[in-house]
């Protein structure tokens, strides 16, 4: 389909309108349906309001990424700003469906639709769209890029992460990526810049980890808000993000002291995992919390998996810093594209213990083979550990609302009765 | 983050590498020049406190063991045997306290390699690492050297399979040990740089010694702790490592296998990151330098303890203190150095 044709213009117009409406509606639900939102959440709500209207990172070169495996430090160090564009909007999902088979993952469709119509977070105009070869759908989506004339770059993520061969392969891929970045931005990667980038990201991580630990201590923030905090890491200016999470942390600390907790004593504590929840597709966490559960933590590539892991450098020269950054984006990842992926099982068990989780809700997007296939193994392990799990297959279409409600209600009730 | 004692928190946030750097300097000074100040520690130490160094205040257990084994079978069961056991006991008494930290903090030859690494960093040259295969293949060399340095002295007075060994093969490892040649240089003593032309054996052995010294210098310039990987002392230590009071343990459940610890490990121990089963995580090449604990961002995942008392635990707070803080002065300093594009 040609860009600039009449049909395209029409699509763009209606797409944008639907998109803006969807965002507004979801945001309203997040803010208005709950009492006593933390004051410092205001900043994050604002960020999402500007999703459609803002002019994010104006005057800066933007590199778009579509996965947690894109090394952000390298992008910062070449003077550009990374923005993750994995999308959660149903409006663009329908556009993406024009190019992809019907049973494709809604996130892939939605992202492609957004790229095609140029409705990206904060109206950014990326110089490059980095597409990692994780799941098959993303891989194949990259091929469509040429058709729609967008600057895609394929980042070759190995299918396994444990072997030394994979690590070396990935190291070389990352070196190639550095070259591509340097070409695109016209800025050379230097020791000083990379060091600064590593430290900047580390600062954000330290603050995020603090946030995560506060959530373990007491239920003082809803999962729907926490997801917005992590989701805004996709596109926000990292320093401003860090600053505001720090402020939020202070407020949450005060709330813990004043014992100003959310929910009731018997509110089931839920861990969410599986295919990633990305704003505005917030129906699952919202429903859970409207029905009286509390999402205490999420194991998603759109949340903790994206920020938690750190870079450790032994010798602060490019020869050691670049591989150190590369390692960080491979070794600790719990993405189901890797086989084996036992680290994900271990991480889930760890989280269940540390967050005192009562039940797990496992979300699989229609068409997402990887999370679907892994759900069996994970389910078995959770069962062995006496954890109740609810599997939900869903997509971005809001139509399954009723059916979801019934199932969630039953699940939450059974957890409540056990408490 | 759970509540921790203030003091413990201070320790866990500290920079052990810097502390180690100074301990190493002090130890180096003691073990190379201590003798001049009438410091007398003990012979049979679990490090290369080389008696060929005039200022050495002690002795390396390896030379002791080689001397003592240069004896006949029959005397092994008598007076000699007792001497061998007493010196093993001395070795163990020292070893039991520091475990392999003798290598990371005290051994002068180990320290020297760390200084050569510093020199390399000064020039901004990259280092090399063995790939997994070579690592596995080469790591047995230290055990082979250990067995040889026990068997060869025994083979001089007794014959194995009728092969006669010349007397020139006494203390065979010392003859090829780089410490014998390099460490005396620090006291201005160049007398070990020579080839002994007495007979074929001495020519071969002393030439090997010269070669190993040269390889030592070049090797540790390109690879961190190059020699330690082949060091028979390290092999001997490892045999007794389990009984030591100083321990390094890992809680596999807390590990994300991020690989930070492996990345910073000078000897390149892969298991430190990948092994999530073993509790005792001191491997044969480890020198208990604690760099891995410093680099681990998960609370209490890696721990160093003495007789059950926790000394230094991995903590995320400590990690971010050490790795996350942006010290702008340091950055400007970096900028001044010309190695921008290295
Ligand atoms: S949710 Fe599944 S199919 Fe969709 S992008 Fe992620 S891994 Fe791929
Ligand atoms: S392994 Fe290294 S530090 Fe330890 S005794 Fe041998 S040379 Fe010294
Ligand atoms: S640094 Fe810590 S968490 Fe990471 S692999 Fe090593 S032991 Fe595991
Ligand atoms: S495993 Fe840890 S303590 Fe042992 S040598 Fe490596 S970094 Fe040092």
């Amino acid at each position: 389909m040609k860009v600039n044709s009449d049909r395209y213009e029409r699509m763009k117009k209606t797409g944008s309108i639907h998109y803006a409406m969807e965002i507004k509606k979801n945001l309203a639900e997040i803010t208005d349906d709950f009492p006593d939102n933390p004051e410092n959440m205001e900043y994050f709500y604002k960020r999402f309001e500007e999703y459609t209207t803002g002019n994010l990172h104006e005057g800066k070169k933007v590199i778009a990424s579509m996965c947690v495996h894109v090394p952000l430090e390298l992008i910062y160090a070449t003077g550009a700003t990374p923005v993750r564009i994995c999308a959660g909007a149903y409006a663009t999902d329908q556009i993406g469906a024009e190019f992809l088979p019907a049973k494709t993952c809604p996130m892939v469709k939605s992202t492609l639709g957004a790229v095609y119509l140029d409705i990206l977070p904060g109206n950014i105009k990326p110089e490059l769209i980095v597409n990692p070869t994780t799941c098959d759908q993303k891989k194949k989506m990259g091929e469509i890029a040429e058709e729609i004339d967008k600057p895609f770059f394929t980042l070759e993520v190995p299918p396994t992460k444990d072997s030394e061969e994979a690590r070396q392969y990935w190291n070389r891929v990352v070196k190639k990526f550095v070259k591509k970045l340097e070409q695109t931005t016209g800025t050379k990667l230097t020791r000083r810049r990379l060091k600064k980038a590593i430290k900047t990201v580390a600062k954000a991580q330290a603050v995020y980890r603090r946030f995560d630990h506060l959530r373990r201590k007491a239920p003082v923030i809803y999962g729907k808000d926490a997801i917005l905090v992590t989701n805004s890491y996709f596109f926000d200016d990292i320093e401003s993000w860090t600053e505001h999470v720090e402020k939020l942390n202070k407020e949450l600390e005060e709330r813990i002291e004043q014992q100003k907790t959310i929910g009731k004593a018997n509110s089931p504590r839920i861990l969410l995992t599986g295919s990633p929840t990305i704003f505005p597709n917030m129906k699952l966490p919202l429903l859970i919390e409207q029905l009286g559960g509390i999402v205490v933590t999420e194991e998603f590539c759109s949340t903790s998996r994206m920020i938690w892991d750190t870079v450790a450098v032994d010798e602060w020269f490019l020869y050691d810093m670049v591989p150190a950054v590369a390692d960080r984006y491979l070794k600790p990842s719990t993405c189901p594209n890797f086989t084996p992926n036992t680290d994900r099982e271990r991480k889930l068990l760890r989280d269940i213990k540390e967050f005192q989780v009562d039940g797990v809700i496992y979300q699989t997007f229609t068409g997402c083979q990887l999370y679907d296939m892994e759900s069996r193994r994970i389910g078995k392990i959770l069962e062995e550990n006496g954890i109740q799990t609810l599997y939900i297959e869903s997509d971005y279409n809001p139509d399954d609302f009723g059916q979801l409600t019934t199932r969630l209600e039953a699940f939450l009730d059974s957890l409540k009765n056990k408490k | 983050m759970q509540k921790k004692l203030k003091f413990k928190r201070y320790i866990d946030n500290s920079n052990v590498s810097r502390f180690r750097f100074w301990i190493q300097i002090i130890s180096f000074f003691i073990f190379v020049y201590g003798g001049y100040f009438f410091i007398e520690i003990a012979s049979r130490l679990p490090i290369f406190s080389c008696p060929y160094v005039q200022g050495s205040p002690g002795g390396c257990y390896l030379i002791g063991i080689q001397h003592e084994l240069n004896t006949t079978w029959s005397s092994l069961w008598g007076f000699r045997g007792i001497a061998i056991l007493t010196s093993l006991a001395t070795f163990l008494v020292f070893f039991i306290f520091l475990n392999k930290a003798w290598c990371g903090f005290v051994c002068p030859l180990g320290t020297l390699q760390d200084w050569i690494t510093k020199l390399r960093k000064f020039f901004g040259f990259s280092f090399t690492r063995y790939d997994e295969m070579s690592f596995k293949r080469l790591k047995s060399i230290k055990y082979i050297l250990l067995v040889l340095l026990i068997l060869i002295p025994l083979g001089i007075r007794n014959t194995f399979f009728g092969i006669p060994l010349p007397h020139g093969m006494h203390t065979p490892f010392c003859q090829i040990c780089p410490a014998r040649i390099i460490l005396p240089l620090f006291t201005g003593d160049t007398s070990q740089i020579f080839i002994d032309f007495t007979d074929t054996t001495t020519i071969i052995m002393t030439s090997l010694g010269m070669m190993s010294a040269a390889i030592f210098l070049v090797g540790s310039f390109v690879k961190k702790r190059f020699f330690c990987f082949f060091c028979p002392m390290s092999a001997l230590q490892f045999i007794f490592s389990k009984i030591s009071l100083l321990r390094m343990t890992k809680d596999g459940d807390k590990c994300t296998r991020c690989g930070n610890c492996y990345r910073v490990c000078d000897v390149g121990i892969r298991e430190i990151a990948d092994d999530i089963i073993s509790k005792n995580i001191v491997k044969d090449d480890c020198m208990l330098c604690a760099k891995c604990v410093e680099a681990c961002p998960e609370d209490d995942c890696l721990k160093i303890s003495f007789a059950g008392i926790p000394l230094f635990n991995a903590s995320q707070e400590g990690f971010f203190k050490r790795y996350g803080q942006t010290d702008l002065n340091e950055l400007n300093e970096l900028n001044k150095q010309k190695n921008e594009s290295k």
Side-chain angles (χ1 to χ4, degrees), chain B residues 43 67 80 86 95 100 141 167 215 234 268 307 342:
Chain B
S43 50
H67 264 306
R80 248 303 156 79
T86 5
F95 177 72
K100 303 209 80 190
I141 291 182
H167 182 69
I215 295 173
S234 152
K342 279 264 161 58

Side-chain angles (χ1 to χ4, degrees), chain B residues 248 265 267 269 286-292:
Chain B
M248 181 162 76
C265 178
V267 268
I269 297 172
C286 177
M287 48 164 169
L288 277 175
C289 65
K291 272 175 84 176
C292 50

Side-chain angles (χ1 to χ4, degrees), chain B residues 262-299:
Chain B
Y262 162 61
R263 283 206 57 76
V264 301
C265 178
D266 285 350
V267 268
I269 297 172
R270 211 167 249 101
E271 291 96 326
I272 189 77
D274 287 350
D275 185 344
I276 44 167
I277 313 277
S278 314
K279 197 161 155 34
N280 176 0
I281 201 78
V282 179
K283 302 287 163 182
D284 52 356
D285 297 302
C286 177
M287 48 164 169
L288 277 175
C289 65
K291 272 175 84 176
C292 50
V293 186
E294 285 187 311
C296 176
E298 305 304 326
D299 285 336

